[in-house]
Amino acid sequence: MQRITLAPGYEISRVIRGGWQLAGGHGAVDPAVAVDDMVAFADAGITTFDCADIYTGVEELIGKFRLAYRDLRGEEALRRIRVHTKFVPDLTVLPTISKAYVEGVIDTSLKRLNLERLDLVQFHWWAYDIDGWLETAGWLKELQQAGKIDKVSGTNFDSDHIEALIAAGIPLASLQLQYSLLDRRPEKRMVSLAAQYDFALFCYGTVAGGFLSDKWLGIAEPAHPLENRSLTKYKLIIDDIGGWDLFQALLGTLRRIADRHQTDIATIASAAMLRRPGVAAVIVGARNRDHLAENLAISDITLSDKDLSDIEAVMAEAKELEGDVYTLERDRNGRHGSIMKYNLNKGE
């Protein structure tokens, strides 16, 4: 597993294990089995885990895993484990948010994860038209200075707001954002901002909720309603960039590339994103270790110039998505946080 250094003394695996699938929405979760699966991921080299305060029960599971991993592998092995959580204040809290509220949520995450200092906290704000997001980021910085947070980061902020955060002196280590072969909105401005201000990009959605996989190759266009919100969300993106025929052309190209590397479409789709400028890591959703081998292969594959040019030849026919990072999602979901939560950072 490739590793990358984000800052002196702070190293992560370039494939991050997503945690949303353990929040209960994909079926019952056996805590003991979940912890064993995390041990398998860590032993294999995927030592960075993504979660959030709003992913029900996931911080607690990772906290149990950390204790188990210390007992099984020792303190030195535990030091390689990084946990990236999110601070996501509820939409109803935003108008009256206070530093006490922020610190209380951070303290809860510390307790759940069995950490004395949170490795990396990714800040999200549901509605830009509600004031307080910049002040709240400042409180996170104060908690960082107090030793409760190591790295302050963001998730799903657009370019204008990232520039405002940086101008306000918020030291962003990274930004988690939707970025895939289908969704290239980050290339409008965010990739250059990441280079200019030296923050890393963590990509979710690299397999588009499962659409970028062998399962959909040669399949007729599905009708609504789709199976879940994730598929609905990414089907809208497929529609916006040019439709089902273009999407099938991309899958066919990815399948031919996968044949050259003896792997599958999803692995190629994620591996391609690790080649993008500014991308430090991709987040893979995993309920268990069933696809661990494929997850490991993401960073092992070296795509050739022909592989990459074949992908670009197909995507040259795609239409540009409107807006900046997460703009479409905010517009389509309005300010109904209950919907947006299901679409936030699933790491699929």
Side-chain angles (χ1 to χ4, degrees), residues 199-223:
F199 60 87
L201 300 178
F202 301 152
C203 304
Y204 70 90
T206 58
V207 297
F211 271 122
L212 287 171
S213 68
D214 288 279
K215 175 182 177 180
W216 290 96
L217 178 61
I219 300 299
E221 184 171 4

PDB file of all heavy atoms in Angstrom, residues 199-223:
ATOM      1  N   PHE A 199      -2.891  22.115   0.455  1.00  0.00           N
ATOM      2  CA  PHE A 199      -3.735  21.168   1.179  1.00  0.00           C
ATOM      3  C   PHE A 199      -4.013  19.972   0.264  1.00  0.00           C
ATOM      4  O   PHE A 199      -4.019  20.090  -0.963  1.00  0.00           O
ATOM      5  CB  PHE A 199      -5.026  21.806   1.696  1.00  0.00           C
ATOM      6  CG  PHE A 199      -5.932  22.401   0.646  1.00  0.00           C
ATOM      7  CD1 PHE A 199      -6.883  21.618  -0.009  1.00  0.00           C
ATOM      8  CD2 PHE A 199      -5.866  23.755   0.330  1.00  0.00           C
ATOM      9  CE1 PHE A 199      -7.743  22.172  -0.957  1.00  0.00           C
ATOM     10  CE2 PHE A 199      -6.708  24.321  -0.619  1.00  0.00           C
ATOM     11  CZ  PHE A 199      -7.655  23.517  -1.257  1.00  0.00           C
ATOM     12  N   ALA A 200      -4.228  18.817   0.886  1.00  0.00           N
ATOM     13  CA  ALA A 200      -4.419  17.577   0.148  1.00  0.00           C
ATOM     14  C   ALA A 200      -5.880  17.383  -0.202  1.00  0.00           C
ATOM     15  O   ALA A 200      -6.775  17.900   0.479  1.00  0.00           O
ATOM     16  CB  ALA A 200      -3.928  16.392   0.993  1.00  0.00           C
ATOM     17  N   LEU A 201      -6.127  16.625  -1.268  1.00  0.00           N
ATOM     18  CA  LEU A 201      -7.480  16.267  -1.657  1.00  0.00           C
ATOM     19  C   LEU A 201      -7.721  14.790  -1.360  1.00  0.00           C
ATOM     20  O   LEU A 201      -6.938  13.929  -1.754  1.00  0.00           O
ATOM     21  CB  LEU A 201      -7.698  16.538  -3.145  1.00  0.00           C
ATOM     22  CG  LEU A 201      -7.519  17.983  -3.617  1.00  0.00           C
ATOM     23  CD1 LEU A 201      -7.723  18.076  -5.124  1.00  0.00           C
ATOM     24  CD2 LEU A 201      -8.464  18.926  -2.880  1.00  0.00           C
ATOM     25  N   PHE A 202      -8.822  14.505  -0.651  1.00  0.00           N
ATOM     26  CA  PHE A 202      -9.280  13.138  -0.407  1.00  0.00           C
ATOM     27  C   PHE A 202     -10.549  12.931  -1.232  1.00  0.00           C
ATOM     28  O   PHE A 202     -11.538  13.653  -1.045  1.00  0.00           O
ATOM     29  CB  PHE A 202      -9.610  12.905   1.072  1.00  0.00           C
ATOM     30  CG  PHE A 202      -8.460  13.131   2.020  1.00  0.00           C
ATOM     31  CD1 PHE A 202      -8.706  13.524   3.330  1.00  0.00           C
ATOM     32  CD2 PHE A 202      -7.146  12.954   1.628  1.00  0.00           C
ATOM     33  CE1 PHE A 202      -7.663  13.732   4.216  1.00  0.00           C
ATOM     34  CE2 PHE A 202      -6.093  13.157   2.503  1.00  0.00           C
ATOM     35  CZ  PHE A 202      -6.354  13.545   3.805  1.00  0.00           C
ATOM     36  N   CYS A 203     -10.535  11.973  -2.132  1.00  0.00           N
ATOM     37  CA  CYS A 203     -11.654  11.783  -3.061  1.00  0.00           C
ATOM     38  C   CYS A 203     -12.617  10.713  -2.570  1.00  0.00           C
ATOM     39  O   CYS A 203     -12.200   9.591  -2.258  1.00  0.00           O
ATOM     40  CB  CYS A 203     -11.135  11.339  -4.429  1.00  0.00           C
ATOM     41  SG  CYS A 203      -9.940  12.442  -5.153  1.00  0.00           S
ATOM     42  N   TYR A 204     -13.890  11.044  -2.555  1.00  0.00           N
ATOM     43  CA  TYR A 204     -14.918  10.017  -2.420  1.00  0.00           C
ATOM     44  C   TYR A 204     -15.729   9.986  -3.705  1.00  0.00           C
ATOM     45  O   TYR A 204     -15.618  10.877  -4.558  1.00  0.00           O
ATOM     46  CB  TYR A 204     -15.804  10.244  -1.192  1.00  0.00           C
ATOM     47  CG  TYR A 204     -16.748  11.419  -1.255  1.00  0.00           C
ATOM     48  CD1 TYR A 204     -18.035  11.285  -1.750  1.00  0.00           C
ATOM     49  CD2 TYR A 204     -16.373  12.670  -0.787  1.00  0.00           C
ATOM     50  CE1 TYR A 204     -18.920  12.357  -1.789  1.00  0.00           C
ATOM     51  CE2 TYR A 204     -17.235  13.752  -0.827  1.00  0.00           C
ATOM     52  CZ  TYR A 204     -18.505  13.585  -1.328  1.00  0.00           C
ATOM     53  OH  TYR A 204     -19.375  14.653  -1.385  1.00  0.00           O
ATOM     54  N   GLY A 205     -16.534   8.951  -3.868  1.00  0.00           N
ATOM     55  CA  GLY A 205     -17.328   8.818  -5.078  1.00  0.00           C
ATOM     56  C   GLY A 205     -16.536   8.339  -6.276  1.00  0.00           C
ATOM     57  O   GLY A 205     -17.003   8.470  -7.417  1.00  0.00           O
ATOM     58  N   THR A 206     -15.357   7.773  -6.078  1.00  0.00           N
ATOM     59  CA  THR A 206     -14.516   7.389  -7.212  1.00  0.00           C
ATOM     60  C   THR A 206     -15.120   6.255  -8.029  1.00  0.00           C
ATOM     61  O   THR A 206     -14.758   6.071  -9.191  1.00  0.00           O
ATOM     62  CB  THR A 206     -13.105   6.993  -6.759  1.00  0.00           C
ATOM     63  OG1 THR A 206     -13.182   5.918  -5.825  1.00  0.00           O
ATOM     64  CG2 THR A 206     -12.387   8.182  -6.125  1.00  0.00           C
ATOM     65  N   VAL A 207     -16.044   5.491  -7.446  1.00  0.00           N
ATOM     66  CA  VAL A 207     -16.750   4.473  -8.234  1.00  0.00           C
ATOM     67  C   VAL A 207     -18.227   4.837  -8.393  1.00  0.00           C
ATOM     68  O   VAL A 207     -19.046   4.001  -8.773  1.00  0.00           O
ATOM     69  CB  VAL A 207     -16.592   3.055  -7.625  1.00  0.00           C
ATOM     70  CG1 VAL A 207     -15.139   2.633  -7.647  1.00  0.00           C
ATOM     71  CG2 VAL A 207     -17.169   2.953  -6.231  1.00  0.00           C
ATOM     72  N   ALA A 208     -18.561   6.093  -8.102  1.00  0.00           N
ATOM     73  CA  ALA A 208     -19.901   6.631  -8.359  1.00  0.00           C
ATOM     74  C   ALA A 208     -21.008   5.767  -7.782  1.00  0.00           C
ATOM     75  O   ALA A 208     -21.978   5.418  -8.458  1.00  0.00           O
ATOM     76  CB  ALA A 208     -20.114   6.820  -9.866  1.00  0.00           C
ATOM     77  N   GLY A 209     -20.861   5.431  -6.522  1.00  0.00           N
ATOM     78  CA  GLY A 209     -21.898   4.662  -5.840  1.00  0.00           C
ATOM     79  C   GLY A 209     -22.042   3.247  -6.354  1.00  0.00           C
ATOM     80  O   GLY A 209     -23.008   2.563  -6.037  1.00  0.00           O
ATOM     81  N   GLY A 210     -21.065   2.777  -7.141  1.00  0.00           N
ATOM     82  CA  GLY A 210     -21.117   1.430  -7.712  1.00  0.00           C
ATOM     83  C   GLY A 210     -21.379   1.421  -9.206  1.00  0.00           C
ATOM     84  O   GLY A 210     -21.251   0.377  -9.853  1.00  0.00           O
ATOM     85  N   PHE A 211     -21.740   2.582  -9.783  1.00  0.00           N
ATOM     86  CA  PHE A 211     -21.962   2.647 -11.219  1.00  0.00           C
ATOM     87  C   PHE A 211     -20.686   2.331 -12.005  1.00  0.00           C
ATOM     88  O   PHE A 211     -20.732   1.678 -13.055  1.00  0.00           O
ATOM     89  CB  PHE A 211     -22.497   4.017 -11.632  1.00  0.00           C
ATOM     90  CG  PHE A 211     -24.000   4.122 -11.597  1.00  0.00           C
ATOM     91  CD1 PHE A 211     -24.630   5.085 -10.816  1.00  0.00           C
ATOM     92  CD2 PHE A 211     -24.788   3.273 -12.353  1.00  0.00           C
ATOM     93  CE1 PHE A 211     -26.011   5.195 -10.793  1.00  0.00           C
ATOM     94  CE2 PHE A 211     -26.177   3.371 -12.337  1.00  0.00           C
ATOM     95  CZ  PHE A 211     -26.796   4.329 -11.551  1.00  0.00           C
ATOM     96  N   LEU A 212     -19.542   2.809 -11.527  1.00  0.00           N
ATOM     97  CA  LEU A 212     -18.281   2.540 -12.210  1.00  0.00           C
ATOM     98  C   LEU A 212     -17.773   1.163 -11.788  1.00  0.00           C
ATOM     99  O   LEU A 212     -16.817   1.022 -11.026  1.00  0.00           O
ATOM    100  CB  LEU A 212     -17.257   3.643 -11.901  1.00  0.00           C
ATOM    101  CG  LEU A 212     -17.527   4.981 -12.591  1.00  0.00           C
ATOM    102  CD1 LEU A 212     -16.589   6.060 -12.062  1.00  0.00           C
ATOM    103  CD2 LEU A 212     -17.399   4.854 -14.108  1.00  0.00           C
ATOM    104  N   SER A 213     -18.439   0.150 -12.287  1.00  0.00           N
ATOM    105  CA  SER A 213     -18.090  -1.234 -11.963  1.00  0.00           C
ATOM    106  C   SER A 213     -18.558  -2.148 -13.082  1.00  0.00           C
ATOM    107  O   SER A 213     -19.351  -1.754 -13.944  1.00  0.00           O
ATOM    108  CB  SER A 213     -18.734  -1.659 -10.639  1.00  0.00           C
ATOM    109  OG  SER A 213     -20.142  -1.733 -10.780  1.00  0.00           O
ATOM    110  N   ASP A 214     -18.067  -3.368 -13.061  1.00  0.00           N
ATOM    111  CA  ASP A 214     -18.453  -4.350 -14.082  1.00  0.00           C
ATOM    112  C   ASP A 214     -19.943  -4.665 -14.046  1.00  0.00           C
ATOM    113  O   ASP A 214     -20.520  -5.075 -15.056  1.00  0.00           O
ATOM    114  CB  ASP A 214     -17.639  -5.637 -13.887  1.00  0.00           C
ATOM    115  CG  ASP A 214     -16.182  -5.459 -14.281  1.00  0.00           C
ATOM    116  OD1 ASP A 214     -15.876  -5.535 -15.475  1.00  0.00           O
ATOM    117  OD2 ASP A 214     -15.346  -5.217 -13.377  1.00  0.00           O
ATOM    118  N   LYS A 215     -20.559  -4.459 -12.909  1.00  0.00           N
ATOM    119  CA  LYS A 215     -21.978  -4.769 -12.754  1.00  0.00           C
ATOM    120  C   LYS A 215     -22.848  -4.044 -13.772  1.00  0.00           C
ATOM    121  O   LYS A 215     -23.879  -4.574 -14.215  1.00  0.00           O
ATOM    122  CB  LYS A 215     -22.410  -4.401 -11.334  1.00  0.00           C
ATOM    123  CG  LYS A 215     -23.900  -4.551 -11.071  1.00  0.00           C
ATOM    124  CD  LYS A 215     -24.243  -4.126  -9.642  1.00  0.00           C
ATOM    125  CE  LYS A 215     -25.749  -4.199  -9.401  1.00  0.00           C
ATOM    126  NZ  LYS A 215     -26.094  -3.787  -8.007  1.00  0.00           N
ATOM    127  N   TRP A 216     -22.443  -2.829 -14.173  1.00  0.00           N
ATOM    128  CA  TRP A 216     -23.285  -1.999 -15.032  1.00  0.00           C
ATOM    129  C   TRP A 216     -22.873  -2.032 -16.494  1.00  0.00           C
ATOM    130  O   TRP A 216     -23.533  -1.422 -17.335  1.00  0.00           O
ATOM    131  CB  TRP A 216     -23.284  -0.553 -14.519  1.00  0.00           C
ATOM    132  CG  TRP A 216     -24.022  -0.423 -13.226  1.00  0.00           C
ATOM    133  CD1 TRP A 216     -23.492  -0.431 -11.967  1.00  0.00           C
ATOM    134  CD2 TRP A 216     -25.438  -0.304 -13.060  1.00  0.00           C
ATOM    135  NE1 TRP A 216     -24.487  -0.313 -11.021  1.00  0.00           N
ATOM    136  CE2 TRP A 216     -25.689  -0.231 -11.674  1.00  0.00           C
ATOM    137  CE3 TRP A 216     -26.511  -0.233 -13.943  1.00  0.00           C
ATOM    138  CZ2 TRP A 216     -26.970  -0.102 -11.153  1.00  0.00           C
ATOM    139  CZ3 TRP A 216     -27.784  -0.099 -13.434  1.00  0.00           C
ATOM    140  CH2 TRP A 216     -28.012  -0.038 -12.052  1.00  0.00           C
ATOM    141  N   LEU A 217     -21.792  -2.726 -16.825  1.00  0.00           N
ATOM    142  CA  LEU A 217     -21.349  -2.794 -18.213  1.00  0.00           C
ATOM    143  C   LEU A 217     -22.350  -3.586 -19.053  1.00  0.00           C
ATOM    144  O   LEU A 217     -22.688  -4.724 -18.733  1.00  0.00           O
ATOM    145  CB  LEU A 217     -19.970  -3.462 -18.287  1.00  0.00           C
ATOM    146  CG  LEU A 217     -19.387  -3.661 -19.683  1.00  0.00           C
ATOM    147  CD1 LEU A 217     -19.197  -2.323 -20.392  1.00  0.00           C
ATOM    148  CD2 LEU A 217     -18.061  -4.426 -19.612  1.00  0.00           C
ATOM    149  N   GLY A 218     -22.844  -2.973 -20.129  1.00  0.00           N
ATOM    150  CA  GLY A 218     -23.776  -3.645 -21.023  1.00  0.00           C
ATOM    151  C   GLY A 218     -25.198  -3.727 -20.519  1.00  0.00           C
ATOM    152  O   GLY A 218     -26.038  -4.388 -21.127  1.00  0.00           O
ATOM    153  N   ILE A 219     -25.498  -3.022 -19.430  1.00  0.00           N
ATOM    154  CA  ILE A 219     -26.834  -3.050 -18.836  1.00  0.00           C
ATOM    155  C   ILE A 219     -27.673  -1.903 -19.394  1.00  0.00           C
ATOM    156  O   ILE A 219     -27.184  -0.792 -19.594  1.00  0.00           O
ATOM    157  CB  ILE A 219     -26.739  -2.933 -17.297  1.00  0.00           C
ATOM    158  CG1 ILE A 219     -25.938  -4.099 -16.728  1.00  0.00           C
ATOM    159  CG2 ILE A 219     -28.127  -2.878 -16.666  1.00  0.00           C
ATOM    160  CD1 ILE A 219     -26.527  -5.463 -16.990  1.00  0.00           C
ATOM    161  N   ALA A 220     -28.937  -2.175 -19.639  1.00  0.00           N
ATOM    162  CA  ALA A 220     -29.838  -1.129 -20.124  1.00  0.00           C
ATOM    163  C   ALA A 220     -29.994  -0.035 -19.064  1.00  0.00           C
ATOM    164  O   ALA A 220     -29.880  -0.290 -17.859  1.00  0.00           O
ATOM    165  CB  ALA A 220     -31.203  -1.724 -20.463  1.00  0.00           C
ATOM    166  N   GLU A 221     -30.272   1.169 -19.529  1.00  0.00           N
ATOM    167  CA  GLU A 221     -30.409   2.296 -18.616  1.00  0.00           C
ATOM    168  C   GLU A 221     -31.522   2.030 -17.607  1.00  0.00           C
ATOM    169  O   GLU A 221     -32.640   1.703 -17.987  1.00  0.00           O
ATOM    170  CB  GLU A 221     -30.710   3.574 -19.396  1.00  0.00           C
ATOM    171  CG  GLU A 221     -30.780   4.810 -18.532  1.00  0.00           C
ATOM    172  CD  GLU A 221     -30.869   6.091 -19.346  1.00  0.00           C
ATOM    173  OE1 GLU A 221     -30.952   5.992 -20.584  1.00  0.00           O
ATOM    174  OE2 GLU A 221     -30.846   7.181 -18.739  1.00  0.00           O
ATOM    175  N   PRO A 222     -31.230   2.168 -16.309  1.00  0.00           N
ATOM    176  CA  PRO A 222     -32.244   1.892 -15.291  1.00  0.00           C
ATOM    177  C   PRO A 222     -33.283   3.005 -15.207  1.00  0.00           C
ATOM    178  O   PRO A 222     -32.988   4.172 -15.480  1.00  0.00           O
ATOM    179  CB  PRO A 222     -31.425   1.812 -14.001  1.00  0.00           C
ATOM    180  CG  PRO A 222     -30.261   2.721 -14.245  1.00  0.00           C
ATOM    181  CD  PRO A 222     -29.933   2.568 -15.704  1.00  0.00           C
ATOM    182  N   ALA A 223     -34.473   2.634 -14.815  1.00  0.00           N
ATOM    183  CA  ALA A 223     -35.542   3.606 -14.638  1.00  0.00           C
ATOM    184  C   ALA A 223     -35.631   4.012 -13.168  1.00  0.00           C
ATOM    185  O   ALA A 223     -35.225   3.266 -12.273  1.00  0.00           O
ATOM    186  CB  ALA A 223     -36.868   3.022 -15.099  1.00  0.00           C
TER     187      ALA A 223
END
